[in-house]
């Protein structure tokens, strides 16, 4: 692969399963040494996209190249040069950590001389050194994910593709997993992953927001947040459902969304809107009020883009 050639180049990928359009008109370029996060809810088409890029699944339309190789006609060569970790990585529960790692080294035909250096290195940075003799079935969820990761790395791939690697993993293990990924980026490895956690996606160099099979936008986390239309007011109250109902009908509120223990209100001007929103809630007798301007997150921007897409679709239908 030439120095100018990207690690991933997808051109108009599409895949359907019967009447369901899983992926539509997917275009993306990922440079070498980059970390890229594909973000979207369940059913957005993330897994199908990654499988096409790995050469596991052929597209119905379009095409892609990975490491300069065509993912359809050269799929076996692609698989040999990438590390792929699906949502349910194929660990063998009756084998120990060391035996699973040895098994995958055999599959990838890693030379014995290379294993002597590679295996201790992988076990060391994953923090699994003290657990090499433990059966995979007895590992925690976070430890299983780490083992799956180093098994996918045992043959020193040029590109690592991870499908929701921290799904169902506790927050501490998620942070540890990302710490490992950041260490890998320093080696020049290209990483592409899918995730439903938008806070995780903010750690990637670039992010692609995917919804209903379409890639809505691609940019850096900073640029995506900066593209948020309007400003946010974070509202806390003892009675959140009542606060949401009152704010939803307020003329200054463009969008009202409950997020955990607070209500996020999109307005044109947060400084001007805060007193009016507070008066509305206080006038209705709500207690425990706290209203502060908030910095938009990727999740806020993603929800806004979906809302805008739905509004545009409704307008088009009405015009037709």
């Amino acid at each position: 692969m030439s120095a100018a050639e990207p690690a991933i180049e997808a051109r108009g990928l599409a895949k359907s399963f019967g009447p369901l359009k899983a992926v539509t008109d997917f275009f993306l370029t990922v440079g070498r040494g980059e970390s890229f996060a594909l973000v979207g809810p369940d059913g957005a088409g993330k897994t199908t996209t990654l499988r096409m890029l790995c050469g596991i699944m052929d597209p119905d339309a379009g095409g892609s190249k990975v490491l300069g190789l065509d993912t359809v006609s050269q799929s076996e060569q692609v698989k040999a040069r990438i590390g792929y970790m699906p949502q349910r990585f194929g660990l063998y529960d009756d084998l120990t950590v060391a035996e699973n790692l040895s098994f995958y080294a055999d599959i990838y035909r890693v030379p014995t001389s290379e294993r002597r250096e590679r295996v201790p290195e992988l076990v060391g940075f994953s923090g699994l050194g003290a657990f090499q003799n433990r059966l995979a079935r007895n590992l925690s969820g976070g430890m299983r994910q780490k083992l799956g990761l180093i098994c996918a790395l045992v043959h020193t791939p040029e590109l690592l593709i991870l499908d929701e690697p921290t799904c169902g993993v506790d927050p501490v293990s998620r942070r540890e997993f990302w710490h490992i990924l950041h260490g890998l980026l320093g080696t020049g490895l290209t990483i592409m992953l899918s995730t439903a956690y938008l806070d995780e996606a903010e750690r990637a160099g670039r992010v692609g927001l995917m919804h209903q099979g379409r890639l809505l936008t691609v940019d850096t986390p900073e640029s995506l947040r900066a593209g948020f239309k309007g400003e946010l007011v974070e509202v806390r109250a003892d009675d959140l459902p009542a606060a949401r109902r009152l704010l939803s009908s307020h003329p200054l509120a463009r969008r009202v969304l409950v997020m955990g223990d607070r209500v996020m209100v999109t307005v044109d001007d947060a400084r001007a809107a805060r007193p009016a929103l507070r008066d509305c809630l206080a006038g209705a007798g709500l207690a425990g009020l706290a209203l502060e301007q908030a910095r938009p997150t990727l999740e806020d921007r993603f929800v806004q883009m979906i809302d805008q897409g739905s509004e545009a679709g409704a307008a088009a239908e009405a015009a037709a």
Side-chain angles (χ1 to χ4, degrees):
M1 188 167 67
S2 69
E5 198 164 29
I8 296 173
E9 188 173 15
R11 293 289 175 263
L13 286 178
K15 187 69 179 180
S16 296
F17 300 99
L20 174 65
K21 293 183 178 180
V23 178
T24 303
D25 205 26
F26 185 94
F27 285 81
L28 177 67
T29 300
V30 177
R32 290 191 294 170
E34 185 177 1
S35 61
F36 186 90
L38 189 62
V39 183
D42 291 343
K46 303 186 301 296
T47 295
T48 300
T49 299
L50 296 187
R51 286 177 177 171
M52 288 190 285
L53 293 176
C54 288
I56 297 172
M57 181 182 292
D58 291 347
D60 296 333
S64 58
K65 284 188 175 183
V66 167
L67 304 175
L69 301 168
D70 185 89
T71 54
V72 175
S73 63
Q74 298 173 293
S75 61
E76 293 307 312
Q77 293 168 261
V78 169
K79 293 170 190 174
R81 292 174 58 185
I82 68 171
Y84 172 53
M85 185 177 167
Q87 291 180 28
R88 293 178 180 83
F89 191 83
L91 295 176
Y92 290 85
D93 286 344
D94 292 333
L95 298 181
T96 65
V97 167
E99 289 168 341
N100 267 283
L101 198 51
S102 179
F103 175 76
Y104 278 96
D106 287 341
I107 288 178
Y108 286 113
R109 300 178 181 177
V110 180
T112 302
S113 58
E114 187 177 327
R115 294 189 201 193
R116 291 195 187 102
E117 181 178 350
R118 183 66 172 164
V119 171
E121 178 185 84
L122 291 171
V123 170
F125 81 68
S126 66
L128 293 176
F131 307 97
Q132 292 187 70
N133 295 320
R134 181 175 294 187
L135 292 176
R137 71 156 63 97
N138 296 327
L139 298 175
S140 67
M143 292 169 68
R144 287 180 67 89
Q145 293 301 86
K146 290 178 186 177
L147 177 55
L149 175 63
I150 62 176
C151 285
L153 290 169
V154 72
H155 60 304
T156 317
E158 299 166 58
L159 167 66
L160 182 62
I161 295 181
L162 310 171
D163 191 3
E164 299 203 24
T166 60
C167 181
V169 175
D170 66 89
V172 173
S173 294
R174 283 173 60 192
R175 284 196 299 271
E176 291 175 349
F177 195 91
W178 269 97
H179 180 74
I180 293 172
L181 292 185
H182 278 292
L184 291 171
L185 282 171
T187 67
L189 180 70
T190 304
I191 299 177
M192 180 174 182
L193 61 88
S194 68
T195 181
Y197 300 120
L198 283 103
D199 61 319
E200 281 193 350
E202 302 216 22
R203 305 178 188 218
R206 282 195 307 148
V207 176
L209 301 182
M210 196 168 186
H211 182 62
Q212 295 182 345
R214 292 186 177 275
L215 191 59
L216 302 180
T217 189
V218 173
D219 213 327
T220 63
E222 295 79 11
S223 294
L224 287 172
R225 286 193 299 267
F228 187 82
K229 305 297 190 298
E231 295 182 346
L232 279 178
V233 175
E234 179 184 283
V235 179
R236 296 179 186 270
D238 290 344
D239 189 345
L240 277 185
R244 182 190 62 79
R245 288 193 299 271
L246 288 165
L247 294 171
S248 294
S249 58
H250 196 284
L252 295 182
R254 291 169 50 180
R255 181 172 63 87
V256 177
L257 183 66
V258 175
M259 298 183 69
D261 60 349
R262 61 200 187 281
V263 178
M264 304 304 296
V265 186
T266 303
V267 296
D268 291 325
D269 184 335
R271 185 175 181 180
R274 278 173 55 199
L277 298 180
R278 178 183 288 276
D279 289 345
C280 170
L281 297 174
L286 269 66
L289 297 177
L291 288 82
E292 300 292 340
Q293 183 170 353
R295 179 171 176 257
T297 64
L298 274 184
E299 185 170 3
D300 295 316
R301 181 59 178 138
F302 191 23
V303 171
Q304 187 178 72
M305 291 189 71
I306 292 173
D307 286 348
Q308 290 170 345
S310 298
E311 291 169 3
E317 288 182 11

